[in-house]
């Protein structure tokens, strides 16, 4: 029973899911209430996780579930982003008429699945978590069921994701076949010799994971799903699954397959280079902001993978730092997107931003900061994110990867600049509404301030992350 | 002395910008925000003047060094000045208030935002010149792109978007390789602290590649031929104040970088690449001078002349002689003053007639005599007439060059003649001749604030032309030390075979 204390956050969220489901069904018109309760229960879960010892290191349930510093940090990140997503999108959900009780409950389910993924130390537990989060996400993507694009994106995501899950499962079975165990630590012990089947297993698993973080060439679903889903779901897609998938990447690469580094390193480098370059080039022609941010996040995942490809602790830490800063930047970007509202309609084309700076100077300034940060221009937070990655990469003498990555930032800078150009240099259009709810404003101000002031004390986050124990 | 004077210099403009940002905007307060900006920049100027006075010119070490932990265990925030960097700081703080004074006439909309951009830019520019850590340097060097991009893009002319993009992407592309080099230096030597790196030195086998990476950034920023094409576009489209800052200070960052990093950190590689730099500099001097002759747009002409003048600077630096390097620094300061003044002069007539085409002007001497006088001084300064600061710089550079390579020096001297040709021809076409154009007759002579700004620039140009001692005095020891510790002389002698 001692063990149960460590998974109280997960248990708490499961209980809340069931409670809210029953509560929502029996109480009429309670969608807003359920939404608020969900936010509150996320805050409570956050408090429960923070309450855990920072240097904790224990495995539960026959060593299949890990509660360690990595899991703790990633879960804090996950739930914090979850809270901010809930805060910023509450108004959007009401206006786009998708405010139903299922919505927040599905989000909770998905977060629960991700928490299981983050902590998993066993192929089966991992797969269970993955499916829990994916199934919730399929429904969320098509939540605006009267909208053609939304339904399409849900279906597309479902079909492609099911395929990738199949590949992943096949990989798992291969690994099991060649190592006779599903436990990560045992796999490491049992796979000292390289066999072809094992390599295939690794490749299949990496393909499945690459799909989840939308790394090229498994990215095809991302732009359509990002564009089609309701924006409140898109921001969810852009933030939370990436945290979970990256953690799983770290776990797979650095526990069971650590000894087989020469098998997977080239694959990760390829995924990384392809994502960085493709994401940068493909975003240039986009007209829809959500679609553009999909390509931009593909490119950003490339950088996070570049850190992982080094095979060093420093590389992993740089990836975690990267994803942390990436979350804040995307949160700020989507908060800006939620503010582009006029007469109960949301605007999401780049042209709608035209001349925004004349009517909404503060909003434009935040967008300016966020976009320059996404482009990685100093002294904003985005620069430091890339800087840590390249420090780790160059330390391993992977100059080619570093130079390609930096050239990709120059290409990417072009399309970020294009948005800034439209905001600042183009003639103005009609005004947007300037009244927003407090949660949204708070999210935007907090994230913009983080990006802007990061350079004053850059070691803060790095110090926390450097205490994370990888294996 | 414990007062962090350099950090104050860096931070003061930002504080001013924040102040202007948070003061509520209304039309009546536009003026007050201008006075705030002027006050801040002037305070910064006097602060840096004080710094120059208390600076001990006889010591080779960096002074006023401040060091603070920044990225723990990796990079320290470290600033300090020696005789070279202090001059550039002084130039920056001198030019910025002049830019602030001129905004009245040139900036019609969003004055507040413009002032904020200029103040932030000043922070970054001062940061570049006094940072003593490679990462800190890179941070300031790159960050300057953001305000400049906005200055060109928001307040620029017709093709402002194209120019702003070109400026930004060219410079960014040049700089990313420098970042790789900086991180590599960290892994090779274990530090990015410039003073420590001077002591440690970098193994010769790495130097060539690292030098090239730094060169790619500085060459774009200088700009050297053939990557100079962003400069005319940026200059033409930028508002007057933007052009002034670009020509006077932003271009000097690269020249400063060449001296501080290329020569200082990679002396062997610098020697190895001397022929490359000589060739590019000579092409810049001759070719862009010829291009300047053909220009119909005043700003473009001055922009190309900047490229040619910066050719002298790079030539002088890589002669690696005391005279050559001193001449380059002097030339950079002088060019900072002269080109700033020339862009202001263009701004004066542009505000009245709204065209920069040379053939639309002519005969201005009869209606704008005061203008004709100051313009004359700046023209002569640009072509390097003895008695102006331009002469000292070019003379020293050529002297250094003659010591090393007579052929190179001879070709470079031709550039001086071409320089005289295009500047005098420009002057003739604008000021002399018959007053044909009807619009011109309505033009009024210099207003009071224009007289103030332009004469503020006339004075140092003539003063340093006759009495260069204060500047030379300031850089002498540092340059001698640079040559001494890196054995540039010895390397030179080996290379020459004596």
């Amino acid at each position: 029973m001692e063990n149960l204390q460590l998974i109280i956050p997960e248990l708490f969220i499961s209980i809340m899911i069931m409670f809210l489901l029953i509560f929502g069904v029996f109480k009429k018109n309670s969608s807003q209430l359920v939404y608020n309760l969900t936010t509150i229960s996320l805050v409570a879960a956050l408090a429960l996780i923070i309450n855990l010892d920072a240097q904790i290191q224990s495995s539960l349930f026959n060593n299949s579930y890990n509660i360690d510093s990595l899991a703790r940090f990633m879960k804090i990140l996950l739930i914090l982003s979850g809270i901010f997503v809930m805060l910023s999108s509450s108004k959007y959900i009401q206006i786009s008429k998708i405010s139903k009780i299922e919505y927040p409950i599905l989000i909770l389910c998905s977060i629960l699945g991700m928490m299981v993924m983050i902590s998993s130390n066993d192929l089966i537990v991992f797969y269970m978590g993955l499916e829990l989060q994916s199934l919730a996400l399929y429904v969320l993507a098509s939540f605006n069921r009267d909208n053609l694009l939304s339904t399409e994106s849900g279906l597309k995501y479902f079909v492609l994701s099911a395929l990738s899950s199949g590949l992943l499962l096949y990989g798992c079975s291969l690994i099991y076949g060649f190592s006779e165990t599903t436990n990560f630590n045992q796999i490491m012990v049992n796979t000292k010799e390289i066999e072809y089947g094992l390599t295939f297993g690794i490749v299949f698993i990496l393909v499945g994971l690459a799909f989840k973080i939308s790394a090229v060439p498994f990215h095809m679903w991302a732009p359509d799903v990002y564009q089609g889903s309701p924006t409140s779901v898109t921001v969810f897609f852009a933030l939370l699954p990436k945290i979970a998938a990256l953690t799983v990447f770290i776990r797979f690469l650095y526990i069971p397959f650590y000894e087989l580094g020469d098998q997977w390193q080239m694959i990760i480098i390829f995924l990384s280079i392809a994502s960085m370059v493709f994401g940068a080039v493909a975003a240039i022609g986009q007209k829809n902001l959500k679609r553009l941010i999909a390509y931009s996040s593909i490119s950003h995942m490339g950088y996070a993978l570049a850190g992982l490809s080094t095979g060093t602790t420093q590389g992993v830490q740089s990836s975690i730092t990267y994803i942390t800063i990436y979350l804040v930047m995307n949160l700020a970007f989507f908060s800006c997107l939620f503010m582009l509202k006029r007469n109960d309609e949301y605007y999401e084309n780049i042209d709608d931003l035209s001349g925004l700076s004349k009517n909404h100077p503060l909003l434009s300034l935040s967008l300016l900061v966020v976009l320059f940060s996404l482009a990685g221009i100093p002294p904003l937070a985005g620069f430091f994110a890339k800087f840590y990655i390249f420090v780790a990469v160059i330390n391993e003498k992977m100059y080619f990867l570093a130079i390609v990555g930096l050239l990709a930032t120059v290409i990417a800078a072009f399309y970020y600049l294009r948005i800034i150009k439209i905001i600042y240099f183009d003639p103005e259009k009609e005004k947007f509404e300037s009244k927003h709810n407090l949660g949204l404003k708070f999210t935007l101000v907090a994230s913009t301030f983080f990006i802007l002031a990061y350079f004053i004390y850059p070691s803060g986050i790095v110090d926390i992350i450097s205490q994370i124990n990888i294996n | 002395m414990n007062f962090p004077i350099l950090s104050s210099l860096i931070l003061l403009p930002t504080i001013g910008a924040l102040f202007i940002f948070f003061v509520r905007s209304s039309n009546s307060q536009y003026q007050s925000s201008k006075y705030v900006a002027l006050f801040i920049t002037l305070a910064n100027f006097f602060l840096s003047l004080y710094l120059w006075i208390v600076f001990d010119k006889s010591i080779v070490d960096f002074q006023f060094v401040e060091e603070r932990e920044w990225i723990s265990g990796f990079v320290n925030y470290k600033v300090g000045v020696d005789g070279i960097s202090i001059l550039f700081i002084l130039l920056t703080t001198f030019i910025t208030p002049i830019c602030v004074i001129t905004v009245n006439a040139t900036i019609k909309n969003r004055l507040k935002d413009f002032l904020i951009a200029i103040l932030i830019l000043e922070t970054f520019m001062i940061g570049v010149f006094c940072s003593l850590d490679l990462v800190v340097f890179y941070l300031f060097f790159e960050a300057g792109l953001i305000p400049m991009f906005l200055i060109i893009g928001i307040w620029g002319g017709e093709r402002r978007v194209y120019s702003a993009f070109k400026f930004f992407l060219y410079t960014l592309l040049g700089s990313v390789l420098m970042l790789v080099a900086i991180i590599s230096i960290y892994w090779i030597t274990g530090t990015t602290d410039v003073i420590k790196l001077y002591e440690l030195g970098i193994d010769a086998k790495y130097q060539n590649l690292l030098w090239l990476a730094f060169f790619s950034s500085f060459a774009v920023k200088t700009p050297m031929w053939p990557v100079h094409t962003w400069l005319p576009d940026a200059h033409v489209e930028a508002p007057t104040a933007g052009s002034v800052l670009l020509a006077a200070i932003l271009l000097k960052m690269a020249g400063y970088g060449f001296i501080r990093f290329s020569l200082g950190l990679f002396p062997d590689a610098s020697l190895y690449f001397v022929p490359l730099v000589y060739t590019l500099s000579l092409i810049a001097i001759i070719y862009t001078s010829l291009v300047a002759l053909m220009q119909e747009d005043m700003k473009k002409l001055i922009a190309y002349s900047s490229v040619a003048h910066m050719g002298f600077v790079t030539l002088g630096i890589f002669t690696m002689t005391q005279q050559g390097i001193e001449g380059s620094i002097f030339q950079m300061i002088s060019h900072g003053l002269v080109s700033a003044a020339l862009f202001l002069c263009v701004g004066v007539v542009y505000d009245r007639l709204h065209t920069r085409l040379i053939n639309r002007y002519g005969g201005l001497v009869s209606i704008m005599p005061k203008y004709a006088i100051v313009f004359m001084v700046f023209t002569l300064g640009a072509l390097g007439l003895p008695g102006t600061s331009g002469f000292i710089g070019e003379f020293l550079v050529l002297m250094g060059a003659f010591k090393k390579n007579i052929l190179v020096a001879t070709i470079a001297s031709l550039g001086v003649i071409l320089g005289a040709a295009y500047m005098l021809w420009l002057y003739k076409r604008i000021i002399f001749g018959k007053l044909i154009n009807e619009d011109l007759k309505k033009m009024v002579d210099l207003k009071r604030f224009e007289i103030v700004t332009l004469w503020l620039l006339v004075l140092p140009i003539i003063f340093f032309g006759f009495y260069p001692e204060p500047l030379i005095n300031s850089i002498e020891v540092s340059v001698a030390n640079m040559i001494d510790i890196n054995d540039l002389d010895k390397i030179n002698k080996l290379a020459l075979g004596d």
Side-chain angles (χ1 to χ4, degrees):
Chain A
M1 287 313 280
E2 222 172 80
N3 287 347
L4 283 186
Q5 279 180 357
L6 296 173
I7 56 161
I8 281 181
E10 281 91 337
L11 289 178
F12 174 73
I13 290 188
S14 322
I15 293 168
M16 282 313 286
I17 291 170
M18 290 181 256
F19 166 73
L20 288 172
L21 203 54
I22 299 168
F23 177 78
V25 170
F26 281 99
K27 191 163 160 45
K28 290 266 182 284
N29 297 327
S30 58
S31 58
Q32 188 58 39
L33 189 61
V34 170
Y35 191 92
N36 293 340
L37 281 175
T38 307
T39 315
I40 292 167
S41 53
L42 279 177
V43 175
L46 181 69
L48 288 170
I49 293 172
I50 292 177
N51 197 25
L52 290 175
D53 180 13
Q55 287 304 320
I56 197 159
Q57 183 85 41
S58 53
S59 310
L60 324 175
F61 309 127
N62 202 12
N63 200 14
S64 66
Y65 200 78
N66 251 344
I67 306 287
D68 53 8
S69 47
L70 176 66
R72 180 177 176 271
F73 181 80
M74 289 314 230
K75 280 178 192 167
I76 291 175
L77 219 54
L78 183 81
I79 297 199
L80 256 182
S81 345
I83 293 169
F84 277 114
V85 168
M86 296 294 276
L87 281 178
S88 57
S89 58
S90 64
K91 191 85 184 161
Y92 177 89
I93 290 168
Q94 285 167 20
I95 288 177
S96 15
K97 305 198 174 58
I98 49 174
S99 178
K100 310 213 167 69
I101 56 154
E102 294 88 345
Y103 183 91
I105 292 170
L106 281 169
I107 282 192
L108 271 188
C109 284
S110 168
I111 288 179
L112 180 65
M114 290 171 198
M115 287 169 80
V116 173
M117 274 170 83
I118 286 173
S119 274
S120 61
N121 195 35
D122 188 284
L123 291 173
I124 297 186
V125 176
F126 151 69
Y127 190 75
M128 210 175 67
L130 181 76
E131 282 307 283
L132 181 56
Q133 67 114 16
S134 308
L135 282 170
L137 286 179
Y138 304 147
V139 186
L140 280 172
S142 53
F143 208 83
N144 195 357
R145 57 183 178 190
D146 301 330
N147 184 321
L148 202 63
L149 279 178
S150 178
T151 336
E152 184 204 318
S153 79
L155 190 67
K156 200 171 240 170
Y157 185 48
F158 173 67
V159 172
L160 288 173
S161 189
L163 181 72
S164 84
S165 294
L167 288 176
L168 196 83
L169 205 54
Y170 186 52
C172 291
S173 68
L174 276 173
I175 298 283
Y176 175 67
F178 282 90
S179 66
E180 299 159 11
T181 175
T182 56
N183 182 285
F184 286 1
N185 301 101
Q186 279 301 316
I187 292 174
M188 182 161 101
V189 177
N190 293 0
T191 55
K192 291 286 181 227
E193 283 171 41
I194 297 161
E195 289 169 87
Y196 281 124
L198 201 62
T199 314
F200 272 104
I202 295 174
V203 171
F204 277 125
I205 287 182
L206 290 184
V207 167
L209 289 176
F211 180 90
K212 300 294 173 202
I213 62 166
S214 66
V216 177
F218 310 104
H219 64 282
M220 273 78 159
W221 60 277
D224 291 334
V225 173
Y226 273 57
Q227 188 184 2
S229 313
T231 313
S232 57
V233 179
T234 311
V235 50
F236 195 80
F237 265 121
L239 305 181
L240 282 81
K242 309 274 195 246
I243 308 172
L246 190 82
T247 320
V248 174
F249 247 117
I250 295 170
R251 283 221 196 274
F252 265 110
L253 297 182
Y254 287 82
I255 299 170
F257 303 152
Y258 187 69
E259 307 282 326
L260 310 174
D262 49 345
Q263 301 287 310
W264 53 258
Q265 194 174 29
M266 282 316 289
I267 301 176
I268 303 287
I269 290 176
F270 170 76
L271 288 175
S272 163
I273 288 180
S275 307
M276 290 189 292
V277 174
F278 180 82
V281 174
I284 290 174
Q286 302 307 321
K287 296 194 169 65
N288 183 294
L289 279 170
K290 279 155 77 181
R291 215 177 163 77
L292 182 129
I293 212 72
Y295 284 109
S296 129
S297 71
I298 290 173
S299 175
H300 282 291
M301 283 306 119
Y303 292 98
L305 286 179
L308 288 189
S309 70
T310 56
T312 57
T313 315
Q314 193 191 19
V316 176
Q317 284 164 355
S318 71
S319 282
I320 298 174
T321 317
Y322 195 91
I323 199 95
T324 314
I325 293 171
Y326 161 87
L327 293 175
V328 183
M329 293 191 295
N330 268 28
L331 199 62
F333 183 83
F334 277 100
S335 312
C336 294
L337 215 53
F338 283 130
M339 291 191 170
L340 304 179
K341 182 182 62 157
R342 193 190 300 137
N343 304 330
D344 282 355
E345 199 183 335
Y346 284 91
Y347 291 81
E348 51 190 49
N349 281 333
I350 297 183
D351 292 340
D352 297 327
L353 291 171
S354 178
L356 190 73
S357 66
K358 303 220 172 64
N359 291 328
H360 304 276
L362 285 177
L363 178 60
S364 321
L365 188 69
S366 324
L367 263 174
L368 178 85
V369 170
V370 173
L371 290 168
F372 271 124
S373 175
L374 283 168
I377 307 294
L380 304 167
F383 165 72
F384 289 94
K386 292 205 166 79
F387 180 70
Y388 297 132
I389 294 279
F390 290 122
V391 167
V393 168
I394 292 175
N395 189 20
E396 291 300 301
K397 305 245 177 326
M398 295 151 84
Y399 292 106
F400 181 69
L401 183 59
I403 290 172
V404 171
L406 281 165
L407 292 180
T409 59
V410 180
I411 304 173
F414 175 77
Y415 64 81
Y416 294 121
L417 286 183
R418 194 167 66 103
I419 309 179
I420 293 168
K421 171 223 149 199
I422 287 168
I423 297 173
Y424 273 89
F425 310 167
D426 281 4
E428 62 201 275
K429 282 190 171 174
E430 227 181 306
K431 261 189 162 188
F432 290 103
E433 274 170 39
S434 51
K435 279 205 158 179
H436 305 286
N437 61 334
L438 201 64
L440 180 57
K441 276 190 206 158
F442 174 73
T443 312
L444 181 59
V445 170
S447 47
T448 311
F449 183 75
F450 176 89
I451 295 168
L452 206 53
Y454 183 84
F455 75 95
I456 295 172
Y457 187 58
S459 7
I461 287 181
V462 182
D463 285 346
I464 297 172
I465 289 171
S466 64
Q467 283 163 19
I468 292 175
N469 208 345
I470 307 297
N471 35 3
Chain B
M1 197 168 112
N2 291 322
F3 179 66
I5 187 163
L6 286 174
S7 294
S8 323
L9 270 176
I10 295 174
L11 281 178
L12 201 60
T14 305
I15 294 169
L18 287 176
F19 183 78
I20 296 176
F21 179 74
F22 283 112
V23 171
R24 288 174 61 88
S25 69
S26 67
N27 280 335
S28 63
Q29 274 169 333
Y30 270 2
Q31 279 304 317
S32 58
S33 59
K34 201 189 118 180
Y35 290 128
V36 171
L38 191 60
F39 174 75
I40 293 280
T41 48
L42 279 178
N44 231 16
F45 173 64
F46 287 116
L47 197 59
S48 58
L49 208 58
Y50 168 75
L51 187 74
W52 196 36
I53 292 166
V54 294
F55 178 82
D56 188 343
K57 296 171 187 68
S58 58
I59 302 178
V60 295
D61 294 335
F62 285 89
Q63 299 175 38
F64 307 104
V65 175
E66 295 164 35
E67 192 167 8
R68 215 157 288 141
E69 192 175 52
W70 187 47
I71 303 176
S72 52
F74 182 20
V75 180
N76 285 344
Y77 165 80
K78 189 168 185 181
V79 290
V81 286
D82 67 351
I84 301 170
S85 45
I86 197 164
L87 288 186
F88 290 100
I89 293 173
L90 210 55
L91 180 69
T92 311
T93 53
F94 178 66
I95 295 290
T96 322
I98 291 179
C99 289
V100 173
I101 297 175
T102 62
V103 294
N104 246 7
T106 50
I107 305 300
K108 299 283 182 255
N109 58 340
R110 304 168 79 175
L111 183 67
K112 233 177 82 166
D113 301 353
F114 188 79
L115 293 170
I116 293 173
I118 283 198
L119 287 173
I120 299 272
L121 188 59
E122 190 185 8
T123 288
F124 294 146
M125 292 185 301
I126 297 173
V128 164
F129 292 128
C130 59
S131 50
L132 284 183
D133 188 285
L134 290 172
V135 178
V136 180
F137 170 79
Y138 182 82
L139 197 88
F140 283 122
F141 191 77
E142 285 289 282
L145 291 181
I146 299 176
M148 202 60 211
F149 174 76
L150 295 174
I151 287 176
I152 298 175
I154 300 179
W155 295 278
E158 274 160 34
R159 288 172 74 235
R160 58 183 203 260
V161 175
Y162 169 78
S163 309
F165 271 65
K166 198 170 178 182
F167 162 74
F168 195 98
L169 294 176
Y170 253 75
T171 339
L172 187 65
L173 188 64
S175 303
V176 288
L177 286 178
M178 185 162 77
L179 184 62
V180 175
I182 289 173
I183 299 172
S184 307
I185 288 176
Y186 176 74
W187 290 120
I188 292 167
T189 63
T191 182
T192 52
D193 184 330
V194 176
I195 297 177
K196 277 189 199 145
L197 283 171
Y198 279 169
E199 286 162 10
L200 286 172
I202 293 171
D203 201 333
K205 67 181 175 192
Y206 300 115
Q207 281 194 13
N208 282 4
L209 279 176
L210 293 173
W211 188 92
L212 278 176
F214 274 77
F215 180 74
S216 75
S217 173
F218 296 147
V220 173
K221 199 91 173 184
T222 309
M224 294 178 83
W225 184 87
V227 283
H228 65 284
T229 57
W230 63 271
L231 185 74
D233 285 311
H235 268 320
V236 168
E237 300 306 328
T240 305
S243 296
V244 170
L245 285 178
L246 193 60
I249 302 156
L250 263 70
L251 302 189
K252 309 301 176 291
M253 288 179 179
Y256 173 77
F258 272 130
I259 297 172
R260 175 75 73 232
F261 303 114
S262 297
L263 281 197
L265 297 178
F266 322 118
D268 300 337
S270 297
L271 186 78
Y272 181 79
F273 285 110
V274 158
L276 173 74
V277 179
Y278 276 2
T279 316
L280 294 182
S281 305
L282 286 183
I283 295 176
I285 293 171
I286 303 295
Y287 170 76
T288 51
S289 296
L290 290 173
V291 175
L293 268 174
M294 297 304 299
Q295 296 307 314
E296 315 229 301
D297 183 312
M298 287 191 256
K299 265 190 164 179
K300 244 187 180 152
L301 191 149
I302 300 169
Y304 278 110
S305 84
S306 286
V307 180
H309 281 128
M310 293 311 283
F312 277 104
V313 171
T314 46
L315 181 67
I317 292 171
F318 282 88
T319 59
M320 300 194 202
T321 54
Q322 177 93 19
Q323 291 87 351
I325 298 176
E326 280 179 11
S328 294
I329 296 168
F330 204 95
Q331 170 82 342
M332 280 195 268
I333 302 290
S334 155
H335 178 256
L337 299 168
V338 173
S339 65
L342 285 172
F343 279 116
L344 285 174
C345 283
V346 175
V348 167
V349 286
Y350 180 77
D351 290 338
R352 289 164 175 70
L353 205 62
H354 296 288
T355 179
R356 287 183 301 261
L357 291 180
I358 297 172
N359 57 19
R360 297 269 282 112
Y361 294 92
L364 285 185
V365 68
S366 51
I367 46 167
M368 297 175 77
K370 289 178 195 160
Y371 179 70
I373 292 172
V374 285
F375 198 13
M376 187 74 208
V377 175
F378 299 138
T379 309
L380 295 178
L383 61 84
L385 187 83
T388 61
S389 60
F391 169 72
I392 314 275
E394 272 174 11
F395 178 71
L396 284 173
V397 167
L398 288 176
M399 214 161 95
F402 267 113
K403 251 177 150 178
K404 277 302 164 55
N405 191 327
I406 292 179
L407 180 67
V408 168
T410 317
I411 299 173
S413 310
L414 287 177
V416 181
I417 302 171
L418 286 172
Y422 61 72
M423 282 319 294
L424 288 176
W425 196 32
L426 170 77
Y427 189 77
K428 185 221 139 207
R429 282 184 290 174
I430 291 177
I431 304 293
F432 297 138
K434 283 210 176 78
L435 195 64
I436 303 165
N437 198 323
E438 278 302 312
D439 315 344
L440 289 178
K441 291 182 179 154
K442 277 177 249 150
M443 292 193 23
V444 285
D445 207 349
L446 296 179
K447 295 174 194 145
R448 205 172 51 198
F449 78 93
E450 288 165 342
I451 294 175
V452 171
T453 49
L454 291 174
W455 277 95
L456 273 178
L457 287 163
V458 169
L459 292 178
I461 290 170
I462 293 180
F463 178 77
F464 291 126
F466 279 105
Y467 188 63
E469 200 50 31
L471 296 187
I472 298 286
N473 202 2
S474 167
I475 53 182
E476 207 169 16
V477 178
S478 299
V479 171
N481 179 49
M482 167 93 62
I483 291 173
D484 201 33
I485 57 168
N486 288 319
D487 288 340
L488 292 181
D489 263 347
K490 204 173 85 192
I491 295 173
N492 283 334
K493 278 182 192 129
L494 285 176
L496 291 171
D498 51 41

